[in-house]
Structures are given as C-alpha cells and as structure tokens.
Amino acid sequence: MTNRSNYTQTRFLQEYARMLAPSEGSFIAYNPLACPVIDVDTMSGNFIDVAGGFADESPFDDMVISDGMDRPNIVKTTISKVDGWTLQQHALGVQVNTQSQAFAEGNGNDLRRAKTAMLMKHTAIVRERVLAALVFNATTFAGYTAAVGTRWDAAGSDPSADALIAQDSTLTNAGEKPNTCIMGYEVYKALRTNARIVELWSRTGSSGGIVPDDAIAAALDVDRIIVGSASSNTAAEGLTATNAMIWGKFALFCHISASPTPYTPQSCIQRFRWRGAADPEIKRYALAGDYKEQIDANFVEQFTVPTPALGYLFSAVVA
C-alpha cells in the first residue's frame, strides 16, 4: 500500500511542469481570454441572482418624483440562489523505476523530467476534452443555439449575418455584446477562404495574402477569435493511434469578462480554482518496496458556463 504520508511537493518538478504548459494558441483551457480563472475559498458556492435587471415590464417604472411624493418609486426585485461552483480534485500520475532513473542519470538524462513532460501533455489533453465537451454542447446552451443557415464552407454563406443573430441573442437576453468567438480548427480554415470574409477584408485596402485573424474578428464583429487547435488520439487503447481535433465544427459567440467575480457571474465561460492551488501541484512519493515512485499532477478546479445567455452556439458550421 502506498505511504501517502511521504508525499514530497517537488519544487524543481513543479517549476518544470509550469514551463511545459501548452501555448494559449493551441489549448483553450489554458487561455485566460477564453476561460478566465476565478479563485475561490470554498469547495462549493452559489450565485445570488437578482431578477429585474432589465427594468420592469409595461408600464415602466417612472423615475419622476412628483410633488407630494416622499420617496421614489420602488423597483420590484426577486432574489434567489443559482448553482455556482463545485470544485473537485483532478489528478493523473506516472510511475518511475528508481533503478532506471539512476541509469538515466548516468547517461546524462533525467527520467523524472521526461515522465513529467509526458504527464503534463496528457493532463492538458484531458482538461481540453472536458472543456470542449462542456462548451461545444447544445444542451449547455439550450435556448441559445442553432445551426447556421448556410454552412460557412459553402458558396453563398454569410458568417457576418450569422454573427448578427448571435449578437441579437446575447444583447436581448443578457444585455452584453459578444466580444469573443471560439471555434474549432475546421471552422477557422473555412473562414480564411470564405468569400464574404475575403470581400469584407478587401474593402480595408488589403493587398492580398492570407486573411489575418483580426480581419476575421472584424467581419464577425468581435474583439478576438480563439481557435481550438489541440488534437488527441481517439483510438481505443491498444489500437493504432488516430489523431483528431478535440474541438468540433462549432462556433460559439460569447461575452468573456477578463476579471469576473465569483458571486456575480459576468462571463460566459469560467474556470473556478481553489485559491492557493499550485495549478498543477506536482507531488512525488515512493511506492511500496521502494523500487518505484509516483509523480502526480493535481488540479482543484471546475470548468463552468455560469451564464449561458452570454453565449450563442452555432452547430454544424462546416461540413
């Protein structure tokens, strides 16, 4: 049985693991512009929802204080709790044979570092899959999702017009305009050659070349586009590897707040994290018999979509 009391939080491996974090351009789970981090002090919590934020229904509240009134009219509000966050501990580990480690060191290598690198790559893929399954999901955005009228890789499509549909939805239902469009890599490729996008870009005086990301963002009327370009092996264990993109053929228009607070949801997507967590915390400990040791990468977090109305999801965007 593992002696878990001999945990060692290895500072060297901890810093090494942080250096191995994937670039923001490939893994959305690590990108704060798509998935801002909220540090919380409790493992679970609720939001406080105050209804009436879009003013009263007709007849509208009158702000004029007439002669003889001793106070302004009262705004009717309803306060209720809304599910917030429930953190869980997530971890994966790798094992290192101590004798093999000694042989590796004799050859100028470090088996612990090599295994830690593999562990970090694997945890990045797993976390990306979790986020993609949550975000590119019609159930998550029930009531705020549709298929595009004409797929963006087909002749006659107009992504700019579809973007306005998303904008109308978030403005009407949440009072905020989308500032970000998260898309799968296949969608991104289609947009770079879409006739409507190319036409709009040409009006800016472009001299040609590949349509840049900022031109695509401008055509979709958002501040930025974020492309999920991470891939992973989809084959069953033991079969020949078959790599595929993790993010599918969807496009999510959403409002992302760079610094939301835990008690007032202001962002379509958020990652809640235990305050003070090393993110990840790397632990190393000996296994029974002292011939092997295990290295674990631990996260205490939850990916959430606390305010679906701040997003609008298009499915089947390309063939």
Side-chain angles (χ1 to χ4, degrees):
M1 180 177 179
T2 302
N3 180 11
R4 301 183 73 86
S5 64
N6 66 358
Y7 268 139
T8 299
Q9 185 172 341
T10 308
R11 184 174 182 82
F12 173 77
L13 287 179
Q14 183 102 5
E15 296 303 320
Y16 179 64
R18 289 179 179 175
M19 292 172 58
L20 295 170
S23 68
E24 295 175 357
S26 57
F27 283 77
I28 294 177
Y30 285 85
N31 190 340
L33 294 176
C35 190
V37 177
I38 312 297
D39 287 320
V40 292
D41 299 306
T42 58
M43 292 297 287
S44 62
N46 294 313
F47 295 124
I48 302 299
D49 181 63
V50 181
F54 287 92
D56 205 354
E57 56 276 356
S58 181
F60 303 114
D61 294 318
D62 191 348
M63 294 179 61
V64 175
I65 301 179
S66 304
D67 185 31
M69 291 178 62
D70 57 358
R71 63 179 64 87
N73 289 323
I74 303 300
V75 175
K76 302 180 184 67
T77 59
T78 302
I79 299 177
S80 59
K81 289 184 178 181
V82 179
D83 289 343
W85 65 92
T86 302
L87 301 184
Q88 287 185 310
Q89 184 172 6
H90 306 266
L92 286 173
V94 291
Q95 293 184 355
V96 180
N97 183 287
T98 53
Q99 188 175 21
S100 298
Q101 170 65 19
F103 283 135
E105 290 175 353
N107 293 319
N109 298 314
D110 190 331
L111 193 56
R112 288 193 187 103
R113 291 182 62 178
K115 293 261 187 160
T116 300
M118 183 181 70
L119 177 62
M120 290 305 299
K121 179 67 174 180
H122 200 93
T123 56
I125 289 173
V126 172
R127 296 172 72 243
E128 194 76 357
R129 285 173 172 170
V130 170
L131 181 60
L134 172 70
V135 173
F136 279 8
N137 188 319
T139 301
T140 301
F141 290 95
Y144 313 106
T145 182
V148 294
T150 303
R151 289 177 172 171
W152 294 352
D153 55 352
S157 63
D158 189 349
S160 297
D162 292 323
L164 286 176
I165 295 174
Q167 186 176 121
D168 288 346
S169 175
T170 60
L171 282 171
T172 302
N173 295 298
E176 295 282 359
K177 177 179 175 291
N179 59 9
T180 304
C181 183
I182 298 173
M183 63 187 70
Y185 183 69
E186 296 297 329
V187 176
Y188 173 66
K189 288 197 303 180
L191 286 176
R192 300 189 84 180
T193 57
N194 180 274
R196 179 59 171 162
I197 300 292
V198 173
E199 176 197 354
L200 293 173
W201 181 46
S202 67
R203 295 180 185 178
T204 65
S206 165
S207 58
I210 297 175
V211 179
D213 290 2
D214 58 352
I216 297 175
L220 300 179
D221 198 16
V222 292
D223 296 339
R224 68 190 67 87
I225 63 169
I226 296 177
V227 182
S229 55
S231 62
S232 69
N233 179 18
T234 60
E237 187 173 355
L239 299 181
T240 302
T242 303
N243 289 350
M245 291 295 172
I246 293 175
W247 294 83
K249 301 173 181 180
F250 291 68
L252 174 68
F253 289 82
C254 54
H255 181 84
I256 301 294
S257 177
S259 56
T261 60
Y263 296 101
T264 54
Q266 308 163 12
S267 186
C268 180
I269 305 169
Q270 293 175 190
R271 177 167 77 98
F272 288 95
R273 178 180 64 186
W274 180 257
R275 191 182 304 279
D279 202 30
E281 184 178 53
I282 301 296
K283 293 182 177 180
R284 179 167 62 91
Y285 51 95
L287 299 176
D290 291 331
Y291 287 103
K292 287 184 179 181
E293 63 183 27
Q294 184 155 323
I295 301 170
D296 293 344
N298 293 265
F299 298 83
V300 184
E301 63 184 0
Q302 183 192 21
F303 294 105
T304 67
V305 176
T307 317
L310 283 171
Y312 197 85
L313 180 67
F314 285 113
S315 60
V317 174
V318 296

